[in-house]
Amino acid sequence: KVQPETEALIPTALVYVDKLSPERLRHELDLIFEEDDAVPMMEKLWALRIVQAVRPALPSEEATRARFQLTRSLPSTIGNKVQFRWMVWLLGLSGKEIRTLAKRLYFTADLLKKITAAASIYHDLESLAGMRPSECVKRLDGLPEDSVMAACFSAPPGEARAMLEKYFAKWKNVKPFMDGDALKQMGVPFGPRIGEILWRLRAAWLDEEVTSEAGERALVEKMKDEG
């Protein structure tokens, strides 16, 4: 809690907030994000207009604050709650805005990558809603898992959020029975074609085009004939 006499000094001191070094600003926010519940402290910063005094201004509009409220209770699978809260806070921004803030606050390359990935998914929710499972997996595979989780956590209820939830619950771990060695034994030449067929098999399982190991082998034979 801020003492009343200290709080009374804040309005006239706001002009100095943006003079703080990037490391100091980010460190203080990191300390808040390490708390079990960072929301009350962030709400105080927003109410006192301390966050808004940073240039470029950190987001503080109603939608952002409502989204950040969700971080009172974080998923147990999150690897880094500080980075996760940064992602939830900033994923509504454009890529350019995120890069500008990254320079102001000296984000690590890892944090910048994760926030950018989370934002790209969040802004792409509408298209995710109409994708086949294989398209969704292809879109999300290779992105930081916490970034996908942050976008899922922040997405409003609906088809897109359901797609992200299914990605974690089921699709992410779907793999074909065959591996590269099995394909070579079936006569597939070593090289890029191996990877193409393995992805095609995985996509077939995801989209329920094949439902058995025999069906998988039949699809491989078909793809071999297609060259």
Side-chain angles (χ1 to χ4, degrees):
K1 293 182 179 180
V2 182
Q3 291 297 317
E5 58 269 25
T6 302
E7 188 167 331
L9 297 171
I10 289 176
T12 56
L14 289 176
V15 293
Y16 300 105
V17 173
D18 196 45
K19 298 182 184 297
L20 294 172
S21 70
E23 295 92 343
R24 178 65 185 276
L25 280 169
R26 193 193 65 252
H27 178 64
E28 294 298 335
L29 289 165
D30 284 348
L31 288 176
I32 290 173
F33 291 170
E34 284 177 0
E35 296 287 337
D36 290 335
D37 184 1
V39 170
M41 285 169 278
M42 288 301 297
E43 286 292 349
K44 192 70 173 178
L45 291 180
W46 279 315
L48 294 172
R49 303 198 64 77
I50 294 173
V51 168
Q52 296 90 317
V54 179
R55 293 290 178 270
L58 288 154
S60 59
E61 72 280 3
E62 185 177 348
T64 294
R65 292 168 69 164
R67 188 171 65 242
F68 196 83
Q69 285 277 349
L70 300 173
T71 69
R72 283 183 179 275
S73 177
L74 296 176
S76 60
T77 53
I78 289 172
N80 184 317
K81 64 182 178 182
V82 173
Q83 289 189 341
F84 192 84
R85 284 181 166 130
W86 275 111
M87 285 186 278
V88 173
W89 186 13
L90 301 183
L91 55 66
L93 300 178
S94 68
K96 182 179 180 181
E97 289 170 326
I98 291 168
R99 290 190 296 273
T100 300
L101 281 175
K103 291 179 181 178
R104 175 64 180 90
L105 299 176
Y106 285 6
F107 287 162
T108 64
D110 182 56
L111 179 56
L112 175 58
K113 176 183 177 181
K114 288 183 176 180
I115 296 172
T116 302
S120 73
I121 301 165
Y122 189 71
H123 291 297
D124 204 24
L125 288 176
E126 187 174 340
S127 65
L128 278 178
M131 287 183 178
R132 297 194 306 272
S134 62
E135 292 173 325
C136 182
V137 169
K138 192 171 186 179
R139 170 72 175 85
L140 301 176
D141 268 9
L143 296 177
E145 188 167 309
D146 275 0
S147 298
V148 183
M149 180 73 74
C152 180
F153 181 84
S154 304
E159 187 179 350
R161 180 168 183 157
M163 294 283 281
L164 292 169
E165 290 172 344
K166 287 178 183 177
Y167 172 76
F168 281 108
K170 180 180 178 182
W171 298 338
K172 185 169 71 76
N173 298 314
V174 169
K175 298 289 188 295
F177 283 100
M178 293 188 186
D179 57 15
D181 289 337
L183 292 180
K184 284 188 284 185
Q185 290 174 10
M186 289 187 66
V188 179
F190 180 77
R193 187 63 176 155
I194 294 281
E196 293 171 5
I197 292 178
L198 286 175
W199 165 248
R200 179 69 184 87
L201 290 176
R202 188 181 180 203
W205 277 104
L206 288 164
D207 296 337
E208 299 183 351
E209 294 175 25
V210 298
T211 57
S212 67
E213 189 172 0
E216 185 178 293
R217 295 184 70 86
L219 182 56
V220 172
E221 291 293 350
K222 180 182 178 182
M223 286 187 284
K224 279 173 54 184
D225 294 340
E226 292 172 349

